[in-house]
Structure formats: structure tokens, C-alpha cells
Amino acid sequence: MTSAPHAADQSRSAGRTSAPNVAIVGVTGAVGQEFLRVLEQRNFPIGELKMLASARSAGKSVAFRDKTYTIEELTEKSFKGVDLALFSAGGSISKKYADAAVAAGAVVVDNSSAFRMTEGVPLVVPEVNPEAIEQAGIKLGEKPGIIANPNCSTIIMLVPVTPLHKAAKAKRIIVSTYQAASGAGAAAMAELEQQSREVLEGKPPTMEIFPFQYAFNLFSHNSDMQPNGYNQEEMKMVHETHKIWNDAKVGVNATCIRVPVMRAHAESITIEFENPIDEATAREVLRQSPGVSLMDDRESNRFPTPLDASDRDNVYVGRIRTDLSVTDGRGLSLFVCGDQIRKGAALNAVQIAELLL
Amino acid sequence: MTSAPHAADQSRSAGRTSAPNVAIVGVTGAVGQEFLRVLEQRNFPIGELKMLASARSAGKSVAFRDKTYTIEELTEKSFKGVDLALFSAGGSISKKYADAAVAAGAVVVDNSSAFRMTEGVPLVVPEVNPEAIEQAGIKLGEKPGIIANPNCSTIIMLVPVTPLHKAAKAKRIIVSTYQAASGAGAAAMAELEQQSREVLEGKPPTMEIFPFQYAFNLFSHNSDMQPNGYNQEEMKMVHETHKIWNDAKVGVNATCIRVPVMRAHAESITIEFENPIDEATAREVLRQSPGVSLMDDRESNRFPTPLDASDRDNVYVGRIRTDLSVTDGRGLSLFVCGDQIRKGAALNAVQIAELLL
């Protein structure tokens, strides 16, 4: 127990006082790149840093703080000496390599959907259920394990809806999303840009990522359709809300739509509560909620837009109003925007890692 | 009473057997131009045709069928001999000139919001409440008067929702819109295009119509905010639904959002019913409903997009599914797209005119 730097294996057995050794899995992706920005901006303490990606990217260079790192190919042996592994390379990579990271002694914060619904794996939004990590007993350097980062749409919904839930007990949530290209990765963002150029030039749009024109259009989320008529993205919002709130009774009805916006999601949310809650109370609750920025200026018609939320940490909330279609004051509607890459992915994962320090 | 052509004033007093004399007010606008296309495509019978617009456009030429027309300046004297006046030049023009048209003996079909909620003015979606015209006693050439065309978002919602309402009695509708540029006119469409070019070139976007960046962004509808926290567009969906259905008890909660799409609106709609209705029944009801095209292919994840609905007459409906957040089979969700300029405006108005023939 000392504040002097240690080799990873020593510090691990002695409890955490030094900076953890960190691995980033999928460092070349949109979220991987955002991990680097967030870790740097938040001055996250890092001992050794490993940049991991597929063989295709191995050997390339990545800058972080004032050093240049060479990307290494991800293998099962990549995690020797690693305390904290931030995964964002898709569910199949997480399924293949997360166990190896845990076996090597690391805590994995996984941005994919691979383990979100796995029993014993905490699913965490730090503003909502930080206690889930302690309940699972996971500790950096002492008790390795996997912590799952929720789906971006779930995170962006629950940051503002949870404090309202605590105030008046939500019983039903109806949400329609306006989801950005970034949720489908950097290639989807590039496709939106390329298609927009092509359409403006009167050329046929190139369609590689999505089977429809995306520029100047929108479409039902491209995740797999379930037998109940909801797509996977929508069912994630249902199941993850149940797990994060530890309440399988709250009704969640989601419609997930992709819109031609680059990197921030918007959501139109209507909530029914057990107890009455008025607009002023809701606004005051949200004003005091961590991770929320109010932008609710009716006089100048100024409410959140995806561009307001882009590159920002907080979820922007506006259009707070009593639901006109319920008569007993137990309904509210909101319109929220949050950065999909940041709070919807990289920032939330780094905030989870901060809880471990 | 003869089938031979008559001068307008003669045919008017004798009952309609010949083609009506038609005036188009606001012919240079996006909807005005669409009036011409729809009248031509539907082979609408026209005696004399007057193209009316502001002094700024007077003297310009407009082609229709195989003739060229000179645009005349709109004045109170423009309606002499006119049987049918299609107005789409904004609410203030309608308020100023509709009475003159009626005084001259015309039936006005008004696309603005000026008279929609006026007692005695029928508000008509032909698939929904064609009987309202007869109830008001309005007859071409016999009983002049004003018929209002509903708001585009209301029309596009009610074409599919009304047959479901007839089947299971809707008690609450929660709708989030994804509205196209065209709803704010041709200049807004041009601004979206110009801004998209500018953003792709790394230039600051020109903002003249809207106070926000529109390209690659979205925002709460720009209509005036009401004291209850709902904007005018949203309140139109509430009040117009009540009037068209002649049912002020149905709850309607709307969130209206403008998205960077050119000319078709999308709407995510969740409906609670008095009576249970399952997906198969709902699908069959919609399959048989006039003005509706089903596009609901779960296997290939193929549902309506604004581009599918663009330049089409029908409202496209998909994502028909049981609402997961109600447990008693009394809830459905849908995702619909309809052409804002066409079914949301010009086509609906011409269909109203066809009811008059």
C-alpha cells in the first residue's frame, strides 16, 4: 500500500493506489477514438496503455496525450498486466475476448450488447445505478469481472427519466427515437455524408451500410426484427430499463428510427406516473439531476437539438410539459438529445471506470 | 340543365353539369404548384382557370395541360365567375380574400389554418368525414362557402388511425412527428438543400427561414409555443382531430419535430383503444382502408420511409404491432409516412373538390 508506481501485477495484489494499466479494444472505431478523447479530457489516471484492434489495423499509430502508440493485434494474450479493458469492437469480439481479459485479472467495461442481459453482469449508468458495481463485488485489481455499458438510446433516456421516476414512480414510458448515424459506426457516418453529396449532385446514392437511401430520408432502425414486431434496438430499451431500474413491471414501448443526423440521438418521451407530478416540479427535479442540462425556453422556442448535444457530456432536456392526453396530472412529455458516441458510449464507459478508481 | 358548356354564371344558377371555373390562389408556392400537378393527373374538370398570386408574381407564366396561363394579381375582384377557389397562400391571405371569393359565389377549399376551427366551416379528410360537406350544405354553383383542409400532420395521422378508431374506438393517441421541410414552404426546402451543401463544404450554414442549423440536425417545430407548453402544430393535431371525429374526448398528445427530409412527413403513433384489437385485425382493417398502403414486411425489415411516400397519394403504414406497455391488448403502435405537399395539402384539397362535383 504505497502511492509510488508499481508494476501492474504488484499493484493489483496490493489494492489500488496507482494508476491502472488500461487496454482499449477497438481503438480505431468511432467509439474507440472517443475513448481516447474522453480519457484525456477527464485526465483519467493511466499506468500503461495498450491500443488493441484487428490485425488489419495492427502496426498503425495512435496519439494519446503526448505519446504515440502502436496498435497491437487483439489476441487472447493481449491482456497480461491489464487492470481495465475498455471494449468497443462489437458483440462478437466482446464474446470472444472478454473472458480472456477477466482471466488475466482485468475489469472489462464492455460497450457491446454481448453481456448486458447476463445475470451477474452489472449494467450501469453512473447517474442511475452506480451501486450495481459494488453489489456485483467487482473491484479494480482485486475482483475482475465484466461491467456492461447500456445501449446508447437507453442511457440517453434513463439519465433524465430516472430522477422523474424517483419523484413520481413511472409506470409506463412511450418513446420514439431520432437516432444518429454514429450508432451504426464511423462507416455509417461516412455513408450519410457521401450520400448527401451524391443526392445534391443528382447522382444515385451509394448504399453499402444500409439498404435504403439515408440522405434526406429516415427509416425504422436496422437491427433485427423480433417475432413480436419490435426490433432489437427497441427491445434493448425495454429489457435494459427493467434491469437498470431493477423493475420488470414498468411498461416501455419504443419506436426506434434512424434520422440523417451525425452523432447525437434525440428522443420524444411520454411518461405515465403512479403519482401526480407537475411541470414545475419536474423541471426542478431535472435541474438538480446529474448529467442533465435543461434547455427549455418556451419564450424563444429554444429546445434541445442534436447539434446542441454533440460533443457534450450531458443529456439536454426540454419540451417539459404535462401530457394533454391524461387528465389526472400523472403524465409528462419531454424531448431530449444526447451525444450517441459520448454519453451513449465512450463517456458512460469511462464514468463507469471512474467509479472503480 | 344541359351537358353543353355554359358561362359560369348560367351553370351556377342551373346546378352543376359543366366543368367548374377554378381559381388557384398562391399558384407559385410549393402547394400551388402541386395543385396543378394533381388537377392534371386526376383529370379534374375545369372550365376557366385563373392563376392568382401576389403582385410580385403577377405577369409570370404558368403551364397547365397544354396551355400557358399568365398569373394575375390577387384582389377582391379576382373571383368574378369563379365556382371553385383553391387557396394556399397562408392564413392571412385566406382571411383577407376568402370572403370575397364566397361573396362572388365560389366554394373555397382553403389549405391554411385560418378557418379550420371556425364553427360551420367543415374540416374534411375525404377518407374520414366526407359527410361534413353535405351537413354544412355547401354545393358547387348553388351554396358557396368555405371548406377547410386540415393540417398536414393531422391528415396523415387520421387516414390510417380513423379506420382503427372505427374498429376499436380510440381513447388516446400519442404521436411524435418527423416533419419534412416542405411544411414550411419551398423556401425552407431550398434552405435545407443550401445548408447541406454548405455544411458538406465546411462552410457556415445560411440561416434565413429557421433560426437553427437544419442540415444534419432536427428541431422542435417552429410554430408558436402556447402557454401549455405545446406548439401550435401540436395543438392543431389535438383540436382538428376532435373536430374531424366530432369527439372532443379522445386524448391526443403530440410532439412535432422537424427533420432534414424534403417533402414527406413520418409519424410514430401509439393508440390506446376502448376495446381490444390484435395486430392481424388491425392489419386487415388497414389493408381495406382507402388512402392507405401497407408496407409492413418484418422479414426483410421493410417499412415506410419518407422517400417511399414522396410523390405518392397514399399514406404508407407499417410497424403495426401490439403496444408492449399495455397488457390488455388495447394498444397498437404504427409508423406512417405521407407526402406533405400532396396528401398533406394539395391532393386532400382536390379530393375535397371532387366530392363537390
Side-chain angles (χ1 to χ4, degrees):
Chain A
M1 302 262 254
T2 158
S3 62
H6 279 254
D9 288 326
Q10 287 173 344
S11 76
R12 186 179 292 161
S13 57
R16 290 239 56 77
T17 52
S18 61
N21 296 331
V22 175
I24 298 177
V25 178
V27 71
T28 53
V31 175
Q33 290 291 301
E34 195 72 17
F35 273 141
L36 298 181
R37 274 190 288 273
V38 171
L39 291 168
E40 182 152 2
Q41 287 164 356
R42 296 175 77 89
N43 203 23
F44 190 90
I46 296 177
E48 289 176 31
L49 179 58
K50 274 196 178 181
M51 307 289 198
L52 300 171
S54 66
R56 196 162 35 88
S57 298
K60 291 183 185 166
S61 294
V62 177
F64 180 69
R65 290 178 183 157
D66 38 17
K67 267 186 74 175
T68 300
Y69 294 80
T70 302
I71 297 174
E72 298 172 42
E73 182 185 350
L74 172 65
T75 72
E76 292 188 353
K77 294 180 182 161
S78 297
F79 300 99
K80 190 168 164 13
V82 169
D83 302 300
L84 172 68
L86 301 173
F87 272 67
S88 187
S92 58
I93 296 295
S94 293
K95 279 182 188 152
K96 194 165 172 194
Y97 295 101
D99 284 350
V102 171
V107 174
V108 169
V109 182
D110 182 27
N111 193 53
S112 83
S113 62
F115 302 104
R116 284 182 194 148
M117 298 310 297
T118 303
E119 178 114 16
V121 170
L123 182 66
V124 178
V125 182
E127 293 89 343
V128 175
N129 63 336
E131 71 283 356
I133 298 173
E134 206 181 321
Q135 285 163 3
I138 295 172
K139 274 196 183 157
L140 210 58
E142 290 183 20
K143 176 69 167 58
I146 300 171
I147 303 171
N149 207 40
N151 175 268
C152 47
S153 300
T154 309
I155 296 172
I156 290 165
M157 176 171 78
L158 292 189
V159 167
V161 173
T162 302
L164 298 172
H165 173 52
K166 287 182 180 160
K169 197 155 173 41
K171 59 179 182 181
R172 183 179 177 214
I173 304 170
I174 294 157
V175 55
S176 294
T177 69
Y178 303 68
Q179 296 186 224
S182 58
M189 297 167 80
E191 180 155 307
L192 172 56
E193 190 173 325
Q194 183 182 353
Q195 282 194 9
S196 299
R197 284 184 208 283
E198 289 165 340
V199 170
L200 289 169
E201 289 165 10
K203 295 178 188 163
T206 305
M207 295 186 275
E208 285 172 358
I209 308 288
F210 300 116
F212 320 103
Q213 180 177 323
Y214 189 9
F216 305 103
N217 200 20
L218 54 84
F219 50 87
S220 180
H221 195 278
N222 49 299
S223 55
D224 284 351
M225 187 57 57
Q226 311 300 295
N228 65 358
Y230 289 79
N231 61 46
Q232 273 192 341
E233 182 83 356
E234 293 160 354
M235 294 312 299
K236 287 175 185 173
M237 295 186 81
V238 178
H239 296 141
E240 295 180 14
T241 298
H242 289 171
K243 179 166 177 174
I244 293 166
W245 280 4
N246 193 24
D247 173 4
K249 277 194 295 186
V250 64
V252 179
N253 183 31
T255 302
C256 289
I257 303 296
R258 215 179 273 289
V259 296
V261 161
M262 280 297 168
R263 62 172 286 158
H265 286 356
E267 302 183 9
S268 168
I269 305 172
T270 292
I271 315 162
E272 282 173 52
F273 296 95
E274 296 280 356
N275 306 312
I277 178 167
D278 62 24
E279 288 174 6
T281 305
R283 198 168 287 112
E284 198 47 39
V285 164
L286 288 165
R287 196 189 308 281
Q288 295 176 15
S289 296
V292 168
S293 289
L294 280 192
M295 185 182 270
D296 197 26
D297 180 354
R298 292 182 183 176
E299 276 192 25
S300 57
N301 222 330
R302 191 72 180 86
F303 306 107
T305 74
L307 282 185
D308 293 312
S310 293
D311 287 309
R312 304 285 171 175
D313 288 355
N314 279 3
V315 176
Y316 284 68
V317 182
R319 300 298 319 274
I320 302 163
R321 62 207 195 276
T322 298
D323 179 356
L324 283 184
S325 66
V326 293
T327 48
D328 58 1
R330 289 165 212 263
L332 283 176
S333 290
L334 323 169
F335 189 70
V336 312
C337 294
D339 187 304
Q340 186 276 328
I341 310 180
R342 207 167 174 87
K343 183 57 186 171
L347 172 65
N348 196 74
V350 172
Q351 288 174 316
I352 289 171
E354 288 172 347
L355 292 173
L356 294 164
L357 290 176
Chain B
M1 304 261 257
T2 157
S3 62
H6 278 255
D9 288 326
Q10 287 174 346
S11 76
R12 185 180 292 159
S13 57
R16 291 237 56 78
T17 53
S18 60
N21 296 330
V22 175
I24 297 177
V25 178
V27 71
T28 54
V31 175
Q33 290 292 300
E34 195 72 17
F35 273 141
L36 298 180
R37 274 190 288 273
V38 171
L39 291 167
E40 183 151 3
Q41 287 163 356
R42 297 175 78 88
N43 203 22
F44 190 91
I46 296 178
E48 288 176 32
L49 178 58
K50 274 196 177 179
M51 308 289 199
L52 300 171
S54 67
R56 197 162 33 91
S57 298
K60 291 183 184 164
S61 295
V62 176
F64 179 71
R65 290 178 183 158
D66 39 16
K67 267 186 74 175
T68 299
Y69 294 79
T70 302
I71 296 174
E72 298 172 43
E73 182 184 351
L74 171 65
T75 72
E76 292 187 354
K77 294 179 181 160
S78 297
F79 301 97
K80 188 167 168 11
V82 169
D83 301 299
L84 172 68
L86 302 174
F87 272 68
S88 188
S92 57
I93 297 294
S94 293
K95 279 182 189 153
K96 194 165 171 193
Y97 295 101
D99 284 350
V102 171
V107 174
V108 170
V109 181
D110 182 28
N111 193 53
S112 83
S113 62
F115 303 104
R116 284 182 193 148
M117 298 310 297
T118 303
E119 178 113 17
V121 170
L123 181 67
V124 178
V125 182
E127 293 88 342
V128 175
N129 63 336
E131 69 283 356
I133 298 173
E134 205 181 322
Q135 285 163 2
I138 295 173
K139 275 196 183 158
L140 211 57
E142 290 184 21
K143 175 73 166 54
I146 300 169
I147 303 170
N149 208 40
N151 174 268
C152 46
S153 301
T154 310
I155 295 172
I156 290 164
M157 175 171 79
L158 291 189
V159 167
V161 172
T162 302
L164 298 172
H165 172 53
K166 286 181 181 161
K169 194 153 175 45
K171 59 179 181 182
R172 184 178 175 213
I173 305 170
I174 294 158
V175 55
S176 295
T177 70
Y178 303 68
Q179 296 187 223
S182 58
M189 297 168 79
E191 180 156 305
L192 172 57
E193 190 172 325
Q194 183 183 353
Q195 283 194 6
S196 300
R197 282 183 209 283
E198 289 164 340
V199 170
L200 289 168
E201 289 165 12
K203 295 179 188 163
T206 305
M207 296 186 274
E208 285 173 357
I209 308 288
F210 300 117
F212 319 104
Q213 180 178 324
Y214 188 9
F216 305 103
N217 199 20
L218 53 84
F219 50 87
S220 180
H221 195 277
N222 50 298
S223 56
D224 285 349
M225 186 57 58
Q226 311 300 294
N228 65 358
Y230 289 80
N231 60 46
Q232 273 192 342
E233 183 83 357
E234 291 161 354
M235 293 313 298
K236 286 175 186 172
M237 295 185 81
V238 178
H239 295 142
E240 295 180 14
T241 298
H242 289 170
K243 179 166 177 174
I244 293 166
W245 280 6
N246 192 25
D247 173 4
K249 276 194 294 187
V250 63
V252 179
N253 182 32
T255 303
C256 289
I257 304 295
R258 215 179 271 291
V259 296
V261 162
M262 280 298 169
R263 62 172 285 158
H265 287 356
E267 302 183 10
S268 168
I269 305 172
T270 292
I271 315 161
E272 283 174 51
F273 297 94
E274 296 280 355
N275 305 312
I277 178 168
D278 62 24
E279 289 174 6
T281 305
R283 198 168 287 111
E284 198 47 39
V285 164
L286 288 166
R287 195 188 311 281
Q288 295 176 16
S289 295
V292 168
S293 289
L294 280 192
M295 185 182 271
D296 197 25
D297 181 355
R298 293 182 183 176
E299 277 193 24
S300 57
N301 221 332
R302 191 70 180 87
F303 306 107
T305 74
L307 282 185
D308 293 313
S310 293
D311 287 309
R312 303 285 172 175
D313 288 355
N314 279 4
V315 176
Y316 284 67
V317 182
R319 301 298 318 275
I320 302 163
R321 61 207 196 277
T322 298
D323 180 356
L324 283 184
S325 66
V326 293
T327 49
D328 58 0
R330 289 165 211 263
L332 283 176
S333 290
L334 325 167
F335 189 70
V336 312
C337 294
D339 187 303
Q340 186 277 329
I341 310 180
R342 208 168 173 85
K343 183 57 186 170
L347 172 65
N348 196 75
V350 172
Q351 287 174 316
I352 289 172
E354 288 172 347
L355 292 174
L356 294 164
L357 289 176

